[in-house]
């Protein structure tokens, strides 16, 4: 069934589990047969099922509040900043490319959803960012 090798106090043990029924295990240790009775019955655990809620689409993460004076551009997915196409003080229009984010071996253009002036750049080229991490701020 299963074979195990143990080393205890410089002694080698080859353990072979021959059978396992209820709470009795038949095994061989270095060729000698043993029958072991477990104190408690072995309970079979079920494999857990992971349930994950649906994630927001990247386009929804970049939506901005048009009435807000400050806009924060966040990373839609985890990745690495490949290039930054704006500087602090630059005026940007809707659709202008702000930076390029590499995620899962793909280059993603991060564009502005609102016209404004770049007030802060929170990332640098080569930096890894997490999802929803603020990268650029607009006013």
């Amino acid at each position: 069934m299963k074979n195990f090798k143990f080393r205890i106090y410089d002694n080698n043990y080859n353990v072979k589990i021959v059978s396992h029924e209820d709470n009795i295990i038949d095994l061989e240790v270095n060729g000698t047969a043993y029958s072991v009775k477990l104190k408690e019955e072995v309970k079979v655990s079920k494999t857990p099922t992971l349930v994950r809620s649906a994630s927001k689409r990247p386009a929804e993460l970049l939506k901005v509040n048009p009435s807000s004076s400050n806009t924060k551009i966040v990373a839609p997915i985890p990745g690495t900043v490949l290039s930054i196409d704006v500087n602090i003080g630059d005026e940007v229009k809707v659709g202008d490319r702000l930076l390029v984010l590499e995620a899962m071996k793909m280059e993603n253009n991060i564009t502005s959803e609102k016209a404004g002036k770049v007030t802060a750049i929170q990332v640098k080229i080569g930096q890894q960012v997490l999802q929803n991490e603020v990268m650029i701020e607009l006013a």
Side-chain angles (χ1 to χ4, degrees):
M1 201 171 170
K2 289 187 180 181
N3 293 314
F4 300 94
K5 291 184 179 184
F6 297 99
R7 185 177 182 97
I8 303 171
Y9 297 114
D10 294 328
N11 295 319
N12 293 321
Y13 298 94
N14 292 318
V15 179
K16 179 181 179 185
I17 297 177
V18 179
S19 68
H20 176 215
E21 292 182 25
D22 297 324
N23 60 341
I24 297 178
I25 299 175
D26 292 321
L27 52 92
E28 291 179 6
V29 178
N30 292 343
T32 306
Y34 295 95
S35 181
V36 179
K37 183 177 181 182
L38 298 175
K39 195 171 188 177
E40 295 179 11
E41 188 174 327
V42 176
K43 295 181 182 178
V44 178
S45 64
K46 294 183 180 178
T47 304
T49 304
L50 298 176
V51 179
R52 187 185 317 185
S53 62
S55 63
K56 296 179 183 177
R57 292 191 345 234
E60 293 171 350
L61 291 173
L62 293 175
K63 295 291 182 200
V64 296
N65 183 357
S67 62
S68 172
S69 61
N70 289 337
T71 302
K72 294 182 180 183
I73 306 299
V74 298
I77 52 178
T80 304
V81 178
L82 289 183
S83 69
I84 300 173
D85 301 323
V86 293
N87 294 310
I88 295 177
D90 287 356
E91 292 287 334
V92 294
K93 301 177 289 194
V94 174
D96 284 354
R97 185 170 83 176
L98 303 174
L99 57 89
V100 177
L101 184 68
E102 179 187 35
M104 301 187 312
K105 298 183 181 181
M106 294 189 61
E107 293 182 5
N108 300 285
N109 292 328
I110 307 299
T111 58
S112 177
E113 291 283 328
K114 180 180 175 187
K117 183 177 182 178
V118 177
T119 57
I121 299 175
Q122 304 289 341
V123 294
K124 54 187 171 192
I125 296 174
Q127 179 179 339
Q128 292 188 354
V129 294
L130 299 174
Q131 186 173 1
N132 295 329
E133 186 173 334
V134 176
M135 299 185 295
I136 295 178
E137 295 180 25
L138 304 175

